[in-house]
Amino acid sequence: MTGIKLSRLLEGVEVLEAPRTDPEVTGLCYDSRRLKPGDCFVAIPGTHTDGHRYVETALRDGAVAAVVQRRAGAAWPQVVVPDTRRALALMSSTFYGRPSADMVVIGVTGTDGKTTTTTMIHQMLLSAGRRVGSMSTVDIRLGDAVDPNDSRQTTLEALEVQEQLARMRDAELRYAVIETSSHGLALQRVVGVEYDVAVFTNIAHEHL
C-alpha cells in the first residue's frame, strides 16, 4: 500500500512535540484491536476507555507512530497534540486526499428528522440524474447501492467519514449528503469536511 509521510499527515495539525523521525504511514487507526503494521495510532480518550492505555501495545505491534495528548510510557515515536480527536479528523482528511473538496457536500443537522431529510435529499438528487452518495444513521449509499450503517452512529467517526467520502469521490459522485449530529459536531468527527450546504431541520430542548 502506498504510504504518506507522517510530517505530511500532520500539516494543519497543532503539534506540541514531534519526533525526530518521519516514518511512512500506510493507515490510520484509533482502535488498537484493528491495528495493522504501518498504521499511525491515534489515542482517543473515550467514555469507557482511554486510547492512551494502548499506545505502548500499538507501537509494539507495528504502529509506526502514535498521536497522543500526553506521553504514554517510553515507547517511541509519539506526537503530542492538544486534541487527538481534532488531529484524527484532520489527518484522516489529508490521508484520503481531502475528498470533500471534490464534491458538493450537504450537511443535515437538527434534533429530529435528520435521517428522513438526508434520505429525501439523496433520492431527489438521484431522481434528477445527479451522481450522489449519502451517510445516515441507517445506511450508507453510493448512487443506487445501499449498505447498512452497522455502527449505528448517526455520524461516523472521523476516519470512517473521510473513508466513505473518498469512496464517493473515487466512484465519481458529485454530491454527498451527510447526516450530521450535534454529538458528531461536538466530538469533531466532521472537522476537515468542506461543507457547501447546511440543512437545519429543527431544535428542541433535548438537542444534545
Side-chain angles (χ1 to χ4, degrees), residues 7 26 56 61 71 108 133-134 136 172 177 184 187:
S7 58
T26 55
E56 289 191 287
D61 290 347
R71 284 210 153 275
V108 180
S134 62
S136 74
E172 299 184 344
V177 190
L187 294 174

Side-chain angles (χ1 to χ4, degrees), residues 128-166:
R130 310 294 183 178
R131 297 182 60 80
V132 57
S134 62
M135 292 179 248
S136 74
T137 305
V138 295
D139 56 38
I140 298 166
R141 302 183 178 212
L142 275 72
D144 290 319
V146 181
D147 294 319
N149 178 359
D150 294 326
S151 77
R152 305 304 293 177
Q153 292 175 310
T154 298
T155 304
L156 301 173
E157 293 290 349
L159 180 58
E160 284 73 35
V161 167
Q162 295 295 338
E163 180 184 15
Q164 294 301 329
L165 286 171

Side-chain angles (χ1 to χ4, degrees), residues 9 25-44 58 63 65-67 88 91-92 95 159-160:
L9 272 182
V25 176
T26 55
L28 294 172
C29 178
Y30 58 87
D31 184 341
S32 60
R33 296 168 297 182
R34 300 179 181 177
L35 182 81
K36 297 177 183 177
D39 283 354
C40 176
F41 178 70
V42 183
I44 303 293
V67 178
L88 175 63
M91 292 170 70
S92 298
F95 184 81
L159 180 58
E160 284 73 35

Side-chain angles (χ1 to χ4, degrees), residues 4 17 21 28 41 44 52 97 108 114 136 143 146 148 182-183 194:
I4 180 172
E17 184 180 340
T21 58
L28 294 172
F41 178 70
I44 303 293
H52 290 80
V108 180
K114 295 186 295 296
S136 74
V146 181
S182 55
H183 286 94
E194 300 179 31

Side-chain angles (χ1 to χ4, degrees), residues 51-207:
H52 290 80
R53 294 174 55 189
Y54 308 104
V55 168
E56 289 191 287
T57 299
L59 290 169
R60 185 179 65 242
D61 290 347
V64 295
V67 178
V68 299
Q69 290 179 189
R70 61 183 184 278
R71 284 210 153 275
W76 189 261
Q78 296 183 39
V79 181
V80 183
V81 300
D83 188 333
T84 49
R85 281 195 172 277
R86 183 175 182 83
L88 175 63
L90 292 171
M91 292 170 70
S92 298
S93 176
T94 299
F95 184 81
Y96 284 106
R98 292 179 57 219
S100 61
D102 297 323
M103 293 179 286
V104 176
V105 180
I106 303 167
V108 180
T109 194
T111 306
D112 301 306
K114 295 186 295 296
T115 302
T116 300
T117 304
T118 298
T119 303
M120 288 175 61
I121 294 172
H122 178 103
Q123 288 303 126
M124 286 189 292
L125 288 169
L126 198 62
S127 297
R130 310 294 183 178
R131 297 182 60 80
V132 57
S134 62
M135 292 179 248
S136 74
T137 305
V138 295
D139 56 38
I140 298 166
R141 302 183 178 212
L142 275 72
D144 290 319
V146 181
D147 294 319
N149 178 359
D150 294 326
S151 77
R152 305 304 293 177
Q153 292 175 310
T154 298
T155 304
L156 301 173
E157 293 290 349
L159 180 58
E160 284 73 35
V161 167
Q162 295 295 338
E163 180 184 15
Q164 294 301 329
L165 286 171
R167 286 183 64 209
M168 295 176 192
R169 176 201 58 202
D170 295 346
E172 299 184 344
L173 303 186
R174 176 65 180 135
Y175 295 85
V177 190
I178 305 175
E179 183 176 352
T180 308
S181 68
S182 55
H183 286 94
L185 291 165
L187 294 174
Q188 305 193 73
R189 292 176 182 170
V190 292
V191 168
V193 176
E194 300 179 31
Y195 287 96
D196 297 284
V197 179
V199 178
F200 184 68
T201 58
N202 52 51
I203 190 167
H205 68 277
E206 73 273 17
H207 186 64

